[in-house]
Amino acid sequence: MSKNIVKVMTCGNVDDGKSTILGRLLYETDNIFFDQIEKVRTKSKDIDYSLFFDGLIDEKKQGITIDIAFRYANLENKKFIFIDSPGHEEFTKNTANASTFADFALIIVDISQGLTPQFKNHLEIISKFKNIKGIVVCINKIDKVNYSSSKINKLTKEIDNFASINCIDILKILPASGLIGDNIVNKSLKTKFYKGPTLLETLLKLEFKNIKKL
């Protein structure tokens, strides 16, 4: 496959918001067709962004992602393939499967759940694949903790420390809310303490050469 296409796999604990974050990203970058948007509107006319990725019938019934799902997207001047892998512990093997296809990894962690054994397991699995050029961690659901800078910084340090102890290099750790849209495409006014890039900006900076912290 052409190196002009960046392949990014995603993983995290079940219900940490992987599909919602990616669905929001695709929606806000005009990578979703109008008829797809209408199909996922709720009775209150809100959009369930997770349904842009949870496409299997069994997934919709169970409310979890049970297989890897591929989605193509054009983000500004770059082409991406997003590979959404399952979060439930019994489907961990599919995380490894998704890793074999990817150039980079995006791990989602729910700030209200913190540094869980499953998150550590996913990070360790991904780090074993030499084809993965870099790892980005997205701390999701920051709206649930009222955008607390102390809680966000605390979890960021915990992730950094775990990665350092296990010799795992992380390119970027960023706070976001897939549900609200904070720091997905646009910088959030509620996280002025965070001076780093949005998720979109982070993805656009991913390069195959000269990998360094973003």
Side-chain angles (χ1 to χ4, degrees), residues 52-184:
F52 292 134
F53 268 77
D54 289 344
L56 299 180
I57 294 176
D58 285 343
E59 290 175 342
K60 291 179 180 178
K61 288 181 179 179
Q62 297 182 37
I64 59 174
T65 306
I66 62 174
D67 205 345
I68 58 175
F70 295 80
R71 292 293 183 274
Y72 294 79
N74 291 310
L75 304 180
E76 295 189 6
N77 62 338
K78 280 190 175 184
K79 295 181 179 179
F80 286 79
I81 297 177
F82 290 100
I83 309 163
D84 190 32
S85 66
H88 201 279
E89 189 172 358
E90 65 182 282
F91 301 117
T92 299
K93 65 179 181 180
N94 284 9
T95 298
N97 186 23
S99 296
T100 65
F101 294 100
D103 304 305
F104 297 93
L106 172 63
I107 305 182
I108 313 300
V109 56
D110 181 344
I111 191 168
S112 65
Q113 298 298 317
L115 199 62
T116 65
Q118 184 74 341
F119 171 84
K120 295 177 182 178
N121 187 33
H122 283 152
L123 192 58
E124 289 173 339
I125 289 173
I126 292 169
S127 67
K128 296 182 185 301
F129 286 83
K130 302 300 182 183
N131 54 291
I132 300 291
K133 311 293 191 301
I135 299 171
V136 173
V137 176
C138 184
I139 298 176
N140 192 26
K141 303 187 181 183
I142 58 174
D143 53 297
K144 282 191 171 184
V145 296
N146 295 318
Y147 304 92
S148 169
S149 60
S150 60
K151 291 182 179 180
I152 292 171
N153 291 334
K154 180 177 181 291
L155 182 53
T156 298
K157 290 179 181 179
E158 290 176 353
I159 294 170
D160 260 334
N161 289 339
F162 176 79
S164 178
I165 291 172
N166 291 276
C167 300
I168 299 172
D169 187 34
I170 295 178
L171 297 178
K172 186 65 187 174
I173 302 174
L174 64 101
S177 170
L179 183 64
I180 308 301
D182 297 291
N183 295 330
I184 302 299

Side-chain angles (χ1 to χ4, degrees), residues 5 26 29 31 38 41 51 66 75 81 93-94 117 134 140-141 145 155 173 186 188 203-204:
I5 300 178
L26 296 187
T29 56
N31 278 283
E38 291 306 303
R41 285 192 186 278
L51 295 181
I66 62 174
L75 304 180
I81 297 177
K93 65 179 181 180
N94 284 9
N140 192 26
K141 303 187 181 183
V145 296
L155 182 53
I173 302 174
N186 300 306
S188 173
L203 293 171
L204 292 174

